[in-house]
């Protein structure tokens, strides 16, 4: 009888150890999966946020440049550099009418500059389409 009790206890001990290993493996897999999911989510968020910040900083930089050139033109309405740079910014931002007004002023102030006349003509042609 003692041998059957000891066999039973040995068998029962093995069953308990096997169940412990199974529970441990399930716990490790669950922990690894949650860590992987959290890590992927964190990397995804980190990847998206800088793009938004860059877009916002570029837009605010354009606004600062526009305000700066407009302030220069308030003090010096015929400043060639400010007129030229502001017309380029307006062309790039899609404000073609504002850019044309500035380029016409540049052509009047500097009729010898062929590049101003060419850009003005091309812009007018583009708007006319």
């Amino acid at each position: 009888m003692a041998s059957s009790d000891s066999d039973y206890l040995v068998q029962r001990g093995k069953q308990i150890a096997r169940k412990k290993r199974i529970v441990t493996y399930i716990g490790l897999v669950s922990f690894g999966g949650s860590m992987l999911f959290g890590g992927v989510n964190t990397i995804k968020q980190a990847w998206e946020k800088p793009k938004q910040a860059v877009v916002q900083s570029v837009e605010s930089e354009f606004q600062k440049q526009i305000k700066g050139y407009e302030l220069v033109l308030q003090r010096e309405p015929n400043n060639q550099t400010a007129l030229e740079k502001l017309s380029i910014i307006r062309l790039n931002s899609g404000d073609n009418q504002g850019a044309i007004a500035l380029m016409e002023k540049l052509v009047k102030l500097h009729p010898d500059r062929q590049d101003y006349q060419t850009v003005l003509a091309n812009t007018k042609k583009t708007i006319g389409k």
Side-chain angles (χ1 to χ4, degrees):
M1 184 123 158
S3 115
S4 73
D5 283 341
S6 73
D7 287 343
Y8 171 77
L9 291 177
V10 169
Q11 286 288 21
R12 185 72 179 142
K14 288 180 181 180
Q15 286 178 344
I16 291 173
R18 187 178 322 128
K19 288 180 182 177
K20 283 182 182 178
R21 279 194 305 263
I22 290 171
V23 169
T24 301
Y25 292 142
I26 290 172
L28 286 172
V29 168
S30 298
F31 178 73
S34 66
M35 290 296 290
L36 182 64
F37 180 74
V40 167
N41 221 4
T42 303
I43 290 171
K44 181 182 173 185
Q45 288 176 353
W47 186 264
E48 290 173 356
K49 285 184 181 179
K51 289 180 182 178
Q52 293 171 352
V54 168
V55 169
Q56 290 174 352
S57 67
V58 168
E59 288 176 359
S60 65
E61 186 64 32
F62 273 136
Q63 294 301 323
K64 287 179 187 177
Q65 287 179 355
I66 289 171
K67 286 180 184 178
Y69 290 129
E70 286 174 347
L71 286 173
V72 169
L73 290 174
Q74 286 176 358
R75 288 183 307 232
E76 305 171 40
N78 296 334
N79 186 309
Q80 180 181 0
T81 303
L83 287 168
E84 185 177 325
K85 297 295 182 179
L86 188 56
S87 67
I88 291 170
I89 291 172
R90 287 191 176 164
L91 270 177
N92 290 335
S93 66
D95 180 13
N96 293 331
Q97 296 299 331
I100 286 175
L102 293 170
M103 286 187 280
E104 286 175 344
K105 190 170 186 177
L106 278 169
V107 168
K108 286 179 188 174
L109 292 172
H110 305 282
D112 56 323
R113 294 280 307 259
Q114 186 63 36
D115 56 337
Y116 292 157
Q117 294 172 10
T118 305
V119 172
L120 178 60
N122 288 341
T123 304
K124 285 183 176 181
K125 187 186 300 182
T126 303
I127 291 175
K129 287 184 178 177

